[in-house]
Amino acid sequence: MTPSPIILCEKLKKNYGRVQALRGVDLEVLPGEIFGFLGPNGAGKTTAIRCMLDLIRPNGGSLRVLGLDPQKEPLEVRRRVSYLPGELHMYENMSVEGLMKYLNSIRGNRIDWSGVRRLAERLDLDLKLLIKNLSKGNKQKVGVLQALMHRAELLLLDEPTSGLDPLVQQEVLRIIAEARQGGATVFFSSHILSEVQAIAGRVAIIRQGVVVEVA
């Protein structure tokens, strides 16, 4: 018996005025897989992910995440999902550790701090530094850390290796693969073919708001 999809998009559409960002996207992501969402900048990858979290509302089609309708049960969806946005905005005057503790408190203080420190060490990220003093690459590491520390059922990662040096990129891909081995389902967007090939079991290729191939 085929398991129920973790993500199911059918004819998903989203317009920004006259611009058609999504023009009938069909996607099915199964439990326990790493699913790559490959396409150039502006293809609709970020828009689709934001619809999955009810951060924006589609104009048509249907969408289920973890069997739930994000528009009807957005809080339950977000409780069970970890999200790395493509454009991450953080409290600049907090330390990395302070930000992680704040985010942990929102999640009910369930984080294993020894695991957070091990992740930070693997990413070569100093938890004591202030966010405002970090480089772009180190801010991206903070985003990766906050997304992966919760051990959520579903990881929605928008360009997770953006701005990272090659060695850290490879480490992030290893960590994502380990999350999948730990039971998570991973949906991540990228415009880098080799990155998707390295860890994804399946990939959807999107161009101009349409999925042109799933392989």
Side-chain angles (χ1 to χ4, degrees):
M1 187 174 181
T2 303
S4 299
I6 294 293
I7 299 171
L8 181 61
C9 300
E10 295 180 317
K11 309 301 180 186
L12 193 67
K13 297 179 180 180
K14 176 60 182 177
N15 301 330
Y16 298 107
R18 295 182 178 179
V19 177
Q20 292 181 301
L22 301 177
R23 299 188 292 140
V25 168
D26 293 314
L27 281 176
E28 184 177 88
V29 180
L30 300 177
E33 71 175 331
I34 298 178
F35 194 99
F37 200 31
L38 181 67
N41 293 333
K45 303 187 301 295
T46 295
T47 294
I49 291 173
R50 288 176 176 172
C51 287
M52 293 172 192
L53 291 165
D54 195 43
L55 299 176
I56 57 176
R57 293 257 167 118
N59 298 110
S62 65
L63 178 60
R64 292 290 183 274
V65 177
L66 297 163
L68 304 170
D69 183 340
Q71 293 187 35
K72 294 180 179 178
E73 299 180 86
L75 295 181
E76 180 62 16
V77 169
R78 293 172 198 170
R79 185 183 69 82
R80 297 167 62 184
V81 173
S82 275
Y83 172 47
L84 172 60
E87 295 181 7
L88 185 63
H89 301 284
M90 297 176 284
Y91 297 105
E92 293 285 312
N93 290 319
M94 275 187 166
S95 67
V96 177
E97 184 175 33
L99 178 62
M100 296 304 112
K101 288 182 176 179
Y102 170 68
L103 295 174
N104 182 33
S105 69
I106 294 175
R107 291 268 187 162
N109 292 301
R110 295 176 294 171
I111 301 302
D112 172 15
W113 276 103
S114 62
V116 174
R117 294 188 184 96
R118 284 194 298 270
L119 270 178
E121 185 174 332
R122 291 178 66 178
L123 295 170
D124 192 23
L125 179 64
D126 188 343
L127 294 173
K128 300 299 183 183
L129 292 177
L130 294 179
I131 300 293
K132 66 182 179 182
N133 293 333
L134 298 179
S135 66
K136 181 180 178 181
N138 279 326
K139 287 181 178 179
Q140 182 70 8
K141 293 178 187 178
V142 174
V144 171
L145 180 62
Q146 65 81 30
L148 293 169
M149 72 179 187
H150 300 295
R151 300 184 182 275
E153 295 174 58
L154 173 62
L155 304 179
L156 294 179
L157 309 176
D158 195 354
E159 303 271 1
T161 64
S162 176
L164 300 177
D165 68 59
L167 290 178
V168 179
Q169 287 179 7
Q170 293 304 310
E171 188 63 28
V172 168
L173 296 180
R174 280 192 287 268
I175 294 169
I176 291 172
E178 290 166 11
R180 184 249 183 188
Q181 292 168 4
T185 301
V186 182
F187 182 90
F188 80 102
S189 73
S190 178
H191 61 273
I192 304 171
L193 178 59
S194 60
E195 178 176 277
V196 175
Q197 288 178 318
I199 61 169
R202 291 194 300 144
V203 57
I205 300 171
I206 184 170
R207 292 180 189 148
Q208 297 180 338
V210 177
V211 172
V212 295
E213 185 176 358
V214 177

